[in-house]
Amino acid sequence: MTAQPDVYTDLAAEGEDVDRMLADLDAESWARPTPAPGWTIAHQVAHLAATFRLAALAVAEPEAFQQVTARLSPDFDANVQHALAGYLADPPDVLLSRWREERAGVEKALAAVAPDQLVPWLVRPLPAGVLAAAGMMELFGHGQDIADALGVRRERTDRIRHLVGFAVRTWDFGYLARGLDVPPVQLRFEITAPSGAQWTFGPADSAERISGPAVDLCLLVTRRRHRADLALTAVGDEADRWLDIAQAYRGPAGSGREPGQFADASR
């Protein structure tokens, strides 16, 4: 996947979309539980702030980023909790301000480099534009948790094409996260954008095919909905297996969401 030139602009727009859900919340609402077990809205925002801070460091100060990541524990969950702690100590108004500062920091850092410039990241170096797409994945997933906690329906746009492309690029992460062998296949993706446009990825003659709405694919790979509640279809045994394990991030898969968990809510 080649990063599109507008990925930086779209990352900023997605950040603003999440911010609108947070801007007028009272302190009690920040403590509201989200579908992620043990995580409140404050936890979700703290995670986004910490992730964006790390991304800005990777782009603007790669040597400092490598020094920070060299000190990370092999315990993934311990690293996450450590990153959250410094933000969760803040009252909601301060946390909101810091989240906005971290977003502005990564947007400024990205604006100074071309989308195809390689920058270090947690698993392997990535083009800066792909790192921005990873940021959109974070905003999509954690923003969905916030929306679910608040009972908000999010309006999706074709900006999520960056996330769809990122999901295709990272199609093997679900196998790797579970210690499974990555099969020697190439998946074909035939995806319908929010606008109705058709997006295709992968070889047209592949016998292993995934099709359906782009929003549903993004909900699947961020593990915010169970496949049973999504309008995605698979042709081929491996494509069908992939729908069970798909995720667009490295690290533990977690329990995901249960079938029918959001039956009374719009996805």
Side-chain angles (χ1 to χ4, degrees), residues 56-79:
L57 195 65
V59 177
E61 302 180 59
E63 291 185 2
F65 169 84
Q66 290 170 337
Q67 291 172 2
V68 169
T69 55
R71 297 194 296 268
L72 292 177
S73 163
D75 185 330
F76 180 87
D77 290 332
N79 291 328

Side-chain angles (χ1 to χ4, degrees), residues 69-247:
T69 55
R71 297 194 296 268
L72 292 177
S73 163
D75 185 330
F76 180 87
D77 290 332
N79 291 328
V80 171
Q81 293 306 317
H82 177 74
L84 296 183
Y87 293 95
L88 291 174
D90 292 329
D93 59 330
V94 176
L95 175 54
L96 178 60
S97 178
R98 292 184 69 190
W99 144 242
R100 288 169 172 168
E101 290 173 1
E102 305 299 10
R103 280 174 43 222
V106 78
E107 290 164 14
K108 179 180 178 181
L110 287 168
V113 300
D116 59 355
Q117 179 173 318
L118 282 180
V119 297
W121 194 235
L122 300 173
V123 179
R124 56 179 176 262
L126 295 173
V130 176
L131 181 60
M136 294 187 72
M137 182 266 294
E138 295 284 345
L139 289 167
F140 185 100
H142 295 285
Q144 186 63 49
D145 287 338
I146 294 167
D148 288 334
L150 296 173
V152 171
R153 176 177 178 176
R154 301 189 71 190
E155 295 297 327
R156 303 297 188 180
T157 73
D158 283 11
R159 290 194 299 263
I160 63 173
R161 190 183 195 282
H162 303 294
L163 175 48
V164 173
F166 187 75
V168 172
R169 182 187 184 94
T170 60
W171 76 278
D172 57 339
F173 278 11
Y175 299 93
L176 298 174
R178 295 164 178 78
L180 301 172
D181 292 334
V182 179
V185 301
Q186 290 183 289
L187 300 180
R188 170 72 170 181
F189 292 85
E190 299 174 343
I191 305 300
T192 304
S195 67
Q198 295 299 303
W199 299 334
T200 59
F201 304 83
D205 61 351
S206 175
E208 304 287 341
R209 311 172 81 85
I210 304 290
S211 61
V215 172
D216 286 22
L217 181 67
C218 294
L219 288 166
L220 181 80
V221 300
T222 56
R223 296 181 60 75
R224 265 51 187 190
R225 293 293 187 271
H226 192 277
R227 66 170 290 187
D229 298 325
L230 301 172
L232 296 169
T233 60
V235 174
D237 291 343
E238 199 56 55
D240 185 70
R241 181 192 187 201
W242 186 82
L243 289 182
D244 286 330
I245 65 172
Q247 66 182 72

